[in-house]
Amino acid sequence: MPTAPKPRQVISLLMLRHNTVVQASELIDELWPELPPPSAITTLQTYIYKFRKLLLKQEVGNLLQTQPGGYSLTIPASSLDVSLFERKAEEGQELLQKGDSAAALASFERALALWRGPALADVETGGRLLSYVTRLEELRFRILELRIEADLETGRHRELISELKSLVLAHPLHEHLHGLLMLALHRSGRRHEALEAYQSLRQKMIDELGLEPGKDLARLQHTLLSDSPTEPREPPRRPGPGPAAAPGAGPLAQPNGTTALPPALLSAPASVVLPSLASLAAPPPLTAPAPVAAAMGRPAQLPAGLVGFVGRHEVLEELKAALHEPDGPGAGGTAARIGVVTGLPGIGKSAVAVHLAHMLRPRFTDGQLYADLGGSSAEPRDPSEVLRGFLRALDVPTSRIPESLEERGALFRSRTAGRRVLVLLDDVASSAQVRHLLPADPRCALLVTGRRRMAALVEAKHVELRPPSPEEALEILAVLAGRQRVERDPNAAHRIVELLGRHPLALRCVGGRLAAGPGLSLATLAQRFAVAPRILDVARLGELDVRSRFDESYDALTHTEQGAFRLLSMLGETPFTAAQAAELLSRPARDLEHTLETLADNHLLAADRRADGIDRYVFDRLTQAYAKERLEDTLASPPVIEELGAR
């Protein structure tokens, strides 16, 4: 294993994503989450080359394959500790569900024995690796809880007390751990200590959170206050799916109105007692949970937010309101809330969506799922594969993931039922890509970004991003280039902002260039931009390239649409009607309307309906500059000149 940090990141991501293609762009995002250097691709290729040499020394060089757009590491799952851990954890959960506590305990112990420290302890983690670390640590902690439950079911309550006391000290606000400790103390004849553990937790929660413990734990405390037997009797079998309860197992009404557990239930297995508490707190969900629903993880897959994110306050508030679960009975309806963010290439759709998703995380306590659907690329991602990743993140064993898209979508809806999950889908090609990725529960929400309008998502809140205000655009430049430099020469800074059409990605490129060249003055740069024959030449910094973003949208157009887009650049930045465009292109206005709407749907034109009811279209500054470049390149090509002349 290399000692340098970045090669270790590359190898770690390839191993965690073994037997799948990891895109080069994903590796670059992991290595340089803020601003990739100009040599990012070359440097990544060097890391891959060195890794391949290491594998060749071990005579397994064929494991690492170069694929279109990325790399894949083909290794059997049985050779990875993480896969063995997940398999043993899954076995233990299944055995625990069947009531075989002793065998489940053995599986959990074998799974946890594979851990020799924190996940990726000696690897620096960017946004993508961090999501895997978070998931693994959450799963590890859940399996530890299940192992303790299995220990309690096999009668090892006395041996567990010291371990549980240590755990509650490390996690002083964790209610489930306190519940397990209270059960272990009670069964060991130390009921007074169990009650003290409850009071200690209650005081901490009031002091630090201003909250009382949940109803489940309060019911356990009320039951302990009654004169209950302390020694466990023969553990009852784990209840099956039916609603029937044992005689005398109903809830006990307390004088203060709190429902307590029947004393007999305190002697039951912990995995029976604690779910029983939850079942008394609320009616059962409409959708029956999956057999291992209690062990589902809480994914935290959101990528890192953009450093120096600026403004967009109105857009963020608008989307927050749309994705907020309404108050009152029936106010939320029966469908998940959807927000759609669209706009021209590089306008900051992903940055806004990721920033908003991080703001909303406290509302979606059961996890956040993320996928880049590659809608602007030549080969968008298959929703079926995206669902496979989501289901794995929700702790569905690979062997239980169905093959068909429809079945995976149905299972995904089942796994998110009754939960608060936020799904962020970035760079979506069309609404059809979204249909099977939409959670069905009204407590969930879906946030979508894309370059095309998605009118078919009629129930969604649609927000079209426009260039930021002059003040926000200037702030973007100040955050990256240095506020003092901008304040020393505000006129030049304003000039740069306007020459770049207040385009966020272009401003980040120029801001990064200024940050890298502290001796470069804003006035010199503004003058250079003003006389540049092609302004998009300066709107790039390493892998950040505005022109390449426009290339992706342009390549998705038909030949006719491309031709109209190029010729319309002759109208400059002045708004025009379909009739004016038809006159320029010598085509009937009615025939041209569909083309204009397609360009507007792709945000290559901005559409505006005035009071007179006539639609007008206008180019954004950098979009017009790009279209003009394409027109000049086309006219400079002799075969195309002949073709145009023949028409």
Side-chain angles (χ1 to χ4, degrees):
M1 187 78 168
T3 55
K6 291 195 181 301
R8 295 173 76 88
Q9 282 179 269
V10 171
I11 295 172
S12 298
L13 190 54
L14 288 170
M15 292 183 72
L16 285 168
R17 294 269 298 276
H18 62 282
N19 303 332
T20 63
V21 177
V22 182
Q23 297 295 321
S25 59
E26 296 179 88
L27 290 164
I28 290 173
D29 286 344
E30 169 64 28
L31 295 172
W32 299 282
E34 296 180 15
L35 193 65
S39 60
I41 288 290
T42 304
T43 305
L44 174 61
Q45 290 171 343
T46 301
Y47 296 155
I48 293 293
Y49 169 72
K50 290 181 177 179
F51 183 30
R52 187 171 276 121
K53 283 185 64 178
L54 287 175
L55 294 174
L56 286 170
K57 287 183 179 179
Q58 303 297 323
E59 298 182 350
V60 288
N62 61 326
L63 297 184
L64 180 59
Q65 299 292 328
T66 301
Q67 304 288 352
Y71 307 92
S72 65
L73 186 63
T74 305
I75 49 179
S78 59
S79 64
L80 291 176
D81 282 353
V82 65
S83 298
L84 293 173
F85 165 71
E86 290 177 334
R87 192 174 75 226
K88 291 298 179 185
E90 179 187 340
E91 288 177 2
Q93 292 174 54
E94 292 176 351
L95 289 166
L96 201 60
Q97 287 293 325
K98 294 175 181 177
D100 192 347
S101 303
L105 177 60
S107 290
F108 290 144
E109 288 177 337
R110 284 194 291 269
L112 293 169
L114 293 166
W115 287 77
R116 291 178 289 274
L120 299 184
D122 55 353
V123 178
E124 293 183 7
T125 55
R128 296 180 185 276
L129 280 179
L130 184 59
S131 69
Y132 284 99
V133 169
T134 303
R135 175 187 172 275
L136 286 171
E137 291 291 353
E138 285 282 348
L139 182 57
R140 175 191 189 183
F141 195 81
R142 177 57 187 156
I143 297 307
L144 175 62
E145 290 180 289
L146 291 174
R147 194 228 80 207
I148 292 171
E149 290 184 10
D151 267 327
L152 283 170
E153 292 191 13
T154 55
R156 298 184 67 250
H157 38 273
R158 290 186 176 86
E159 294 86 341
L160 283 172
I161 291 174
S162 60
E163 180 183 6
L164 282 167
K165 284 188 173 182
S166 176
L167 285 170
V168 298
L169 284 174
H171 305 276
L173 298 175
H174 198 294
E175 294 187 50
H176 187 68
L177 285 178
H178 280 79
L180 292 171
L181 175 60
M182 290 167 67
L183 282 173
L185 288 167
H186 171 73
R187 293 177 181 181
S188 301
R190 297 159 67 174
R191 185 167 46 143
H192 67 288
E193 291 185 54
L195 293 169
E196 287 174 0
Y198 175 84
Q199 291 300 334
S200 175
L201 170 66
R202 179 176 181 272
Q203 194 59 51
K204 287 188 181 74
M205 292 186 67
I206 292 173
D207 292 343
E208 299 183 29
L209 304 176
L211 298 173
E212 290 276 355
K215 293 181 180 179
D216 298 345
L217 213 58
R219 286 189 177 92
L220 179 57
Q221 185 236 11
H222 283 301
T223 305
L224 292 176
L225 287 170
S226 66
D227 190 15
S228 307
T230 57
E231 287 300 323
R233 294 178 289 188
E234 184 67 22
R237 292 183 62 82
R238 181 181 297 267
L252 301 178
Q254 298 297 305
N256 63 1
T258 302
T259 304
L261 291 174
L265 197 53
L266 284 174
S267 301
S271 53
V272 174
V273 176
L274 298 175
S276 296
L277 295 173
S279 68
L280 291 173
L286 295 177
T287 304
V292 291
M296 284 194 290
R298 292 181 176 86
Q301 296 184 343
L302 297 180
L306 185 67
V307 176
F309 182 88
V310 170
R312 302 293 192 184
H313 302 296
E314 292 183 4
V315 169
L316 291 170
E317 289 303 317
E318 191 175 357
L319 287 167
K320 278 175 64 179
L323 298 180
H324 188 273
E325 184 179 0
D327 296 326
T334 59
R337 291 142 290 142
I338 307 174
V340 178
V341 184
T342 59
L344 62 91
I347 199 66
K349 301 178 290 294
S350 299
V352 165
V354 170
H355 188 78
L356 174 65
H358 280 286
M359 293 173 65
L360 294 174
R361 282 181 65 177
R363 294 184 188 172
F364 297 96
T365 52
D366 292 311
Q368 308 86 42
L369 297 165
Y370 169 83
D372 183 345
L373 269 65
S376 57
S377 66
E379 296 183 3
R381 287 188 66 187
D382 184 353
S384 183
E385 285 305 305
V386 175
L387 277 172
R388 183 180 185 278
F390 283 177
L391 291 170
R392 289 291 296 121
L394 293 169
D395 286 349
V396 177
T398 303
S399 59
R400 296 186 180 179
I401 297 177
E403 290 298 322
S404 74
L405 173 61
E406 288 74 15
E407 289 178 319
R408 288 184 180 184
L411 181 56
F412 175 64
R413 292 189 293 274
S414 296
R415 297 296 276 189
T416 53
R419 308 182 79 197
R420 297 180 184 274
V421 176
L422 174 65
V423 181
L424 172 54
L425 303 177
D426 198 16
D427 194 16
V428 171
S430 66
S431 54
Q433 238 186 336
V434 175
R435 185 163 64 92
H436 291 286
L437 302 172
L438 176 63
D441 197 285
R443 286 161 290 194
C444 296
L446 174 68
L447 187 55
V448 175
T449 76
R451 296 186 184 180
R452 290 180 57 88
R453 291 174 179 167
M454 284 171 263
L457 295 174
V458 293
E459 68 275 39
K461 174 64 179 178
H462 293 264
V463 173
E464 293 191 11
L465 284 189
R466 300 294 176 89
S469 66
E471 294 76 19
E472 287 186 0
L474 196 64
E475 181 66 13
I476 294 174
L477 190 64
V479 166
L480 294 169
R483 193 171 304 281
Q484 292 183 347
R485 293 174 76 178
V486 170
E487 291 175 349
R488 280 198 302 267
D489 199 346
N491 292 332
H494 278 287
R495 181 67 174 149
I496 290 173
V497 164
E498 292 306 318
L499 284 169
L500 295 174
R502 307 199 303 274
H503 191 282
L505 181 58
L507 289 169
R508 292 190 69 81
C509 292
V510 172
R513 183 178 301 178
L514 286 165
L520 182 62
S521 74
L522 270 68
T524 300
L525 203 59
Q527 179 61 28
R528 193 179 299 172
F529 289 178
V531 299
R534 293 193 170 191
I535 189 67
L536 292 177
D537 287 341
V538 302
R540 63 177 301 170
L541 182 68
E543 297 303 313
L544 297 178
D545 182 8
V546 176
R547 183 184 283 114
S548 66
R549 306 293 179 92
F550 281 115
D551 285 341
E552 292 169 343
S553 293
Y554 179 83
D555 291 341
L557 301 174
T558 66
H559 182 74
T560 301
E561 292 162 353
Q562 290 177 348
F565 175 68
R566 294 192 299 264
L567 291 171
L568 288 171
S569 67
M570 297 169 64
L571 295 172
E573 299 174 46
T574 305
F576 58 88
T577 64
Q580 291 169 323
E583 183 179 352
L584 173 68
L585 274 58
S586 300
R587 291 172 55 186
R590 182 173 298 178
D591 295 347
L592 194 58
E593 286 177 354
H594 177 72
T595 298
L596 293 173
E597 281 303 307
T598 299
L599 294 176
D601 283 344
N602 285 275
H603 293 93
L604 295 174
L605 283 177
D608 179 30
R609 174 162 289 183
R610 304 286 177 84
D612 57 11
I614 300 176
D615 289 337
R616 287 173 172 80
Y617 303 89
V618 65
F619 274 107
D620 167 82
R621 173 162 293 184
L622 292 194
T623 311
Q624 192 270 340
Y626 176 80
K628 185 180 177 183
E629 282 186 12
R630 283 289 191 169
L631 178 62
E632 292 171 351
D633 292 343
T634 301
L635 294 175
S637 174
V640 175
I641 292 175
E642 293 173 6
E643 181 185 347
L644 291 173
R647 291 182 182 177

